[in-house]
Structure formats: C-alpha cells, structure tokens
Amino acid sequence: MQFLVYIIAYPFLWFISILPFRILYLFSDFIYIIVYYLIGYRKDTVRYNLKLTLPNLSDKERLLIEKKSYHHMCDMFLEMIKTMTISEKEMSKRFHITNPEIFKQYEQENKSMMLLASHYASYEWLLTINNKTTLNGTAVYKRVNNVYFDKMVRDIRSKFGTELIVTRETIPFIAKKEKANIACIYGLASDQSPKLDRILHYDDFMGIEVPVHTGAEMIARKYSLGVEFIKVKKVKRGFYEATFISIAKNARETPDFKITHDYIHEVEKQILEAPEYYFWTHRRWKHQKAATQA
C-alpha cells in the first residue's frame, strides 16, 4: 500500500517541481484556500499559540498573522518539492548567506560546528548551505513513516550534499566523526517541545516557562564544538537570507544551559520580528511548567 500511494503521488510531485516559480505560487495560493478555509488544518492549535504568546495584539492582528502563516506554510511545502529539480545556480540566487566568512573560521581550525535552526521561514532550504563550505554537512531529521516517501525526502534534502541522520543515530555519528577528526556541521532544529520523559530543563520562551531540548548543548559541550544559530529572514516570496549568530566558540567553556537559553531567545527574537513565518501548527507550549508540575 505504501508503494502504491508513492507511485501515484510521485509523478504529481515531480510535475509540481518543474513548474516555474510564478505558477508554483499560484498553485500555493490555491492550496492555501483548501488548507486554511476548507480543511482548517490545526486552526485551534495555531489560535491557541498566537493568543498565548502574543497577548498584546488584537484579535484582528493575530488573525492576520494566522492567515499569513498558513500562506507561508503552503509556500514552504511547495518550495521543498521544487528542490527536486531546482538548479544550484537558482538556489544560490534565492537563498543567500550574509556572512559566509563564518565558514572560513571553522575550516581554518578544522573545527566542527553545531548549527541550531528553528522552524521558521525556509528551514528546508537551509540544507543548501553545504555547497558553500568544505565542512561536512549533516542534518538530523524525523523519519517519514512511508519508506518510499522517506527516501524521497532524504533525496530532496541531501541534493546539495547534506547527509541526513535520524535522531537515534546522532550521538554515535558525531562520536565517529570527531574521533576521525573530520570537521562537520551538525544541523538541528531544537525549538519544539521535548517528550515528557526527556524533560531536563525549563526556560522562558515567548513569555511562557516551557521544557526545552538540551541535547544539542550536551553534545556540543561533550565534543567542544562551536555553536552557531542560523537566523533566516524571508526577504520576499521565494527569496531568503540567512545570517550566522555566534552562541559559543567552545561549548565546553560555557555554563550549564546557557547555550540552550541563548538559542531559544534568538528564536524568540526572530519570531517577534515577523511572527507570520513561524510554524505555529506545532503544539510547542503544551507542557507549560505550572501545568506540568500541577
């Protein structure tokens, strides 16, 4: 059954990927109408998150952010599909890194980087940065249940040379690379809610005390990695720019949880600048500290 679904869907997805961007975004407008108005995908979650974290805004202002966020989500999904056939030249034009000299510092020191991202703007196209450095690019991802679609997602995300690993492979993979003295970029998006049985630390995120992922910090400290936050800005439809923000040059020298704290507050600042580009459909604030401990 998985294969049947895949062979039916794949030609349609490939056709979408070859559409010119102008037509692609017209199709995205159509998908938005279906997802937002007809299906109402996770509307309750989005409205809860927005009201909880942006209480200073009026209902009208939050509704505008809500609609824009769904529109952007549809764009981003189709942009991911577009990656199947997009050229490296076209991608470089649409996804620009403002301070690529950061790569040089790590390359010269033959030092690995823990690259922390968030579910904001075009986190899918972040995987293209691998073609701008000699560091080995690696990204941690969540496996898709359908094995055929999982392979397709891996092929899309690794098109520009990034190696994908699932969560449980992260520590042994990094241990192997660091033992071999191979300088890498280890990319993780750590802004979502950890499982209850994995909660080690709480922090303030958008004014709410919530559990935060600490795995990236622990790994970075164990192997003395540098830690960078990658801030992505949507310039206009289909065009993004990314900027490295240094969090720690040597994670082992930082106090406990400082890396996690600084990271989560960089994400918060990014959201507050343009909240419509955050992935509000995730239940990020489901385990608030007071509610969890009650």
Side-chain angles (χ1 to χ4, degrees):
M1 180 59 71
Q2 287 189 355
F3 182 64
L4 179 62
V5 172
Y6 173 75
I7 61 173
I8 291 172
Y10 183 84
F12 177 66
L13 296 175
W14 183 84
F15 176 75
I16 291 174
S17 77
I18 64 173
L19 292 175
F21 273 98
R22 182 173 59 85
I23 306 299
L24 186 81
Y25 289 126
L26 286 175
F27 185 55
S28 180
D29 293 340
F30 172 70
I31 296 296
Y32 161 73
I33 292 171
I34 295 175
V35 171
Y36 183 75
Y37 288 103
L38 299 183
I39 298 175
Y41 174 69
R42 293 197 175 185
K43 265 189 183 180
D44 289 343
T45 298
V46 171
R47 289 177 179 175
Y48 171 80
N49 288 340
L50 288 172
K51 189 171 184 178
L52 180 71
T53 60
L54 300 172
N56 56 308
L57 300 183
S58 66
D59 290 343
K60 185 177 181 180
E61 289 171 321
R62 285 195 293 266
L63 181 61
L64 181 60
I65 292 171
E66 175 186 306
K67 291 180 177 179
K68 286 183 176 180
S69 72
Y70 274 91
H71 222 151
H72 171 71
M73 181 178 69
C74 294
D75 280 1
M76 192 183 67
F77 175 70
L78 293 182
E79 287 167 358
M80 182 186 73
I81 296 173
K82 182 67 176 177
T83 311
M84 293 172 68
T85 56
I86 196 171
S87 68
E88 184 176 331
K89 181 179 179 181
E90 182 72 18
M91 182 62 81
S92 295
K93 183 175 72 173
R94 291 178 173 274
F95 195 92
H96 172 67
I97 297 177
T98 64
N99 54 344
E101 63 275 9
I102 295 297
F103 287 132
K104 295 298 179 186
Q105 298 174 17
Y106 285 88
E107 290 169 353
Q108 290 170 1
E109 297 175 17
N110 194 42
K111 185 179 180 67
S112 294
M113 171 202 305
M114 180 67 75
L115 182 62
L116 299 179
S118 65
H119 291 84
Y120 184 92
S122 183
Y123 55 88
E124 287 290 344
W125 280 1
L126 274 173
L127 297 169
T128 66
I129 68 175
N130 193 59
N131 60 10
K132 304 180 188 301
T133 177
T134 59
L135 300 173
N136 286 256
T138 306
V140 179
Y141 89 111
K142 185 176 180 180
R143 180 170 282 143
V144 179
N145 289 332
N146 184 307
V147 295
Y148 302 100
F149 280 110
D150 182 71
K151 183 181 183 304
M152 185 186 77
V153 169
R154 290 176 70 96
D155 289 344
I156 291 173
R157 290 176 171 174
S158 61
K159 179 176 180 179
F160 297 98
T162 299
E163 188 172 358
L164 286 136
I165 55 174
V166 295
T167 305
R168 71 171 184 271
E169 298 172 344
T170 306
I171 293 177
F173 180 91
I174 293 176
K176 181 179 178 181
K177 292 290 186 181
E178 293 307 303
K179 184 177 181 180
N181 199 31
I182 300 174
C184 298
I185 300 173
Y186 305 115
L188 294 92
S190 300
D191 56 325
Q192 298 307 307
S193 184
K195 294 181 179 180
L196 279 173
D197 61 351
R198 297 180 184 176
I199 294 175
L200 296 176
H201 183 65
Y202 285 81
D203 208 325
D204 182 289
F205 183 40
M206 299 294 289
I208 313 296
E209 286 286 314
V210 291
V212 290
H213 282 286
T214 57
E217 174 177 338
M218 290 180 177
I219 294 170
R221 286 166 61 85
K222 179 177 176 64
Y223 294 103
S224 301
L225 307 179
V227 182
E228 304 285 334
F229 173 67
I230 186 90
K231 178 182 179 181
V232 182
K233 178 182 178 181
K234 187 170 185 175
V235 180
K236 60 181 180 179
R237 205 173 195 184
F239 290 86
Y240 304 87
E241 63 179 30
T243 302
F244 291 103
I245 298 174
S246 181
I247 292 180
K249 288 304 180 185
N250 187 332
R252 188 174 289 174
E253 298 174 354
T254 62
D256 289 348
F257 305 120
K258 185 179 187 303
I259 289 172
T260 301
H261 174 82
D262 291 350
Y263 159 70
I264 208 69
H265 283 276
E266 287 296 340
V267 176
E268 181 177 302
K269 287 191 291 184
Q270 184 178 21
I271 292 171
L272 291 174
E273 287 179 12
E276 60 267 30
Y277 302 132
Y278 192 57
F279 220 53
W280 293 104
T281 55
H282 283 155
R283 296 179 62 200
R284 179 61 186 90
W285 292 270
K286 62 183 175 181
H287 299 311
Q288 297 174 42
K289 189 170 188 178
T292 303
Q293 296 181 345

